[in-house]
């Protein structure tokens, strides 16, 4: 009997072609979102430093509000206005349902990250640096002063935006764009294969790993003191009228479309107020679940971060924030779906654990950085955790770090309130949250 040699299949299999297409689509969406967010973030940061102190505070507050808006709220607002049946659908040169729309909405949600990081670096530039050379005007100022000073923060922002856009699946799923993160959720919903989901999440963690490596290799740079910092008038004079006008126009458009448009659709929609009372009455249990998840999840994350504050390596805790939420939920189901652990997997306890895992690493990182910034005369780390450690943390660390702790508690409360990716697989029967219901 003649045996025919088996040759490898050519690259024509439908599954391989689909995977290749989704990989290419994911890269296009992530790169396009990152590039657009960086350009918008640079323009808004240039605009902020040229404004008065009150305007700067207002701009920073609006940027923070844009980061806290849930993705489904922003996406639904754009679909209502620019969708197929939207009032302003003819104003867009492309369809909102596609790669272009995904890049547009993603960049409008993520540019505040770049803006806040660059603003923190540029606002500390002393007046003497801007006045050191009369030729430092317009583009030359940006090239030789602003870019070198803000380079580390800019690279950090690029890594954060790219990692977030790579692992996010809410916006692509709503806009009917097939990406790797959305495909992982669909495959797990069909096959319930935890190991395939975890292995498929590995490529999505590479940018987050690069970000952690960047934080590890970050060199201590020259500290710029706020004493004698540049005034807004000096900033406007050095940047020049064209750059100021362009940054101002881009900033107004970015703030309007990223924050004003979603909030305007919600606040000025007639159905929001006519159906609010009936929706609140019929979904009282759902609202209670949402507030309970957010409150307990925020407290658990802060307590977890404080309990690990004496350990180094906090940058690795950031990986838990960029792991796809479906991977965290599926892994917890695999761990707790065992005989004897059903009280955990079938109750709200698994949701609290998932939120603590999701945001506990962020608290650990922030608390370690806040602890390192404290004066050494008040806290000396080698002597801090000797003896009864819980008393030291309770009576020494928490009073000195009450501002970072309270800020993170509120931030994680808001993030947990709109968390969908982690909760979509693990919420118990009758434990549906408002974000999942929407």
């Amino acid at each position: 009997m003649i045996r025919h040699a088996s040759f490898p299949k050519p690259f024509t299999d439908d599954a391989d072609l689909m995977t290749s297409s989704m990989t290419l689509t994911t890269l296009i969406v992530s790169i396009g979102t990152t590039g657009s967010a960086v350009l918008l973030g640079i323009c808004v940061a240039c605009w902020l430093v040229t404004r008065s102190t009150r305007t700067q505070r207002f701009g920073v507050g609006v940027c923070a509000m844009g980061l806290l808006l849930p993705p489904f709220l922003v996406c639904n607002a754009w679909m209502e206005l620019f969708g197929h049946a939207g009032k302003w659908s003819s104003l867009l040169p492309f369809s909102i349902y596609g790669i272009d729309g995904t890049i547009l909405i993603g960049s409008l949600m993520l540019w505040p990250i770049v803006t806040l990081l660059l603003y923190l670096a540029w606002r500390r530039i002393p007046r003497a640096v801007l006045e050191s050379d009369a030729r430092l005007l317009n583009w030359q100022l940006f090239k030789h002063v602003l870019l070198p000073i803000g380079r580390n923060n800019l690279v950090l922002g690029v890594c954060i935006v790219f990692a977030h856009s790579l692992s996010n699946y809410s916006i692509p799923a709503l806009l009917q764009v097939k990406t790797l993160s959305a495909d992982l959720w669909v495959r797990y919903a069909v096959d319930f294969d935890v190991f395939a989901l975890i292995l498929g999440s590995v490529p999505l963690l590479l940018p987050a790993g690069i970000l952690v490596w960047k934080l590890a290799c970050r060199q201590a740079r020259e500290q710029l003191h706020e004493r004698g910092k540049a005034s807004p008038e000096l900033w406007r004079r050095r940047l020049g009228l064209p750059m100021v006008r362009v940054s101002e126009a881009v900033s107004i458009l970015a703030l309007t479309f990223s924050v004003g448009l979603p909030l305007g659709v919600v606040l000025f929609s007639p159905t929001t107020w006519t159906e609010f009372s009936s929706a609140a009455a019929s979904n009282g249990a759902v609202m209670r679940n949402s507030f309970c998840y957010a409150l307990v999840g925020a407290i658990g994350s802060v307590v977890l971060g404080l309990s690990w504050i004496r350990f180094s390596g906090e940058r690795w805790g950031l990986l838990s924030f960029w792991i796809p939420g479906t991977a965290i939920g599926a892994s917890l189901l695999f761990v707790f779906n065992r005989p004897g652990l059903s009280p955990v997997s079938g109750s709200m306890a698994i949701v609290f654990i998932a939120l603590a895992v999701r945001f506990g690493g962020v608290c650990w990182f922030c608390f370690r950085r806040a602890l390192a910034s404290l004066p050494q005369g008040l806290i000396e780390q080698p002597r801090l955790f000797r003896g009864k450690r819980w008393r030291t943390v309770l009576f020494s660390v928490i009073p000195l770090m009450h501002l970072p702790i309270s800020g993170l508690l509120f931030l994680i409360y808001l993030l947990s309130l709109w968390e969908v990716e982690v909760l979509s697989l693990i919420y118990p029967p009758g434990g549906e949250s408002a974000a999942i219901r929407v």
Side-chain angles (χ1 to χ4, degrees), residues 121-122 124-125 129 145-153 221 224:
W122 291 348
R124 297 179 294 115
I125 296 179
V129 174
V145 177
L146 300 185
L147 192 59
I149 292 177
R151 181 175 60 247
N152 288 332
N153 285 17
R221 58 184 183 275
L224 296 175

Side-chain angles (χ1 to χ4, degrees), residues 293 296-305 317 320 328 332 349-364 412 416 422:
Y293 291 158
V296 179
I299 294 175
S301 301
V302 170
V303 171
L304 184 62
S320 63
I328 296 178
L332 291 177
I350 191 172
V351 177
F352 301 149
I353 295 173
L355 292 176
V357 171
R358 179 76 158 176
F359 302 111
V362 178
C363 293
W364 181 27
I412 295 174
S416 302
V422 176

Side-chain angles (χ1 to χ4, degrees), residues 125-146:
I125 296 179
R127 182 186 185 92
V129 174
L130 298 183
E131 295 179 338
S132 60
D133 193 342
R135 294 172 296 179
L136 291 177
L137 300 171
N138 304 329
W139 170 251
Q140 297 298 325
L141 176 68
F142 180 83
K143 180 180 178 182
H144 297 289
V145 177
L146 300 185

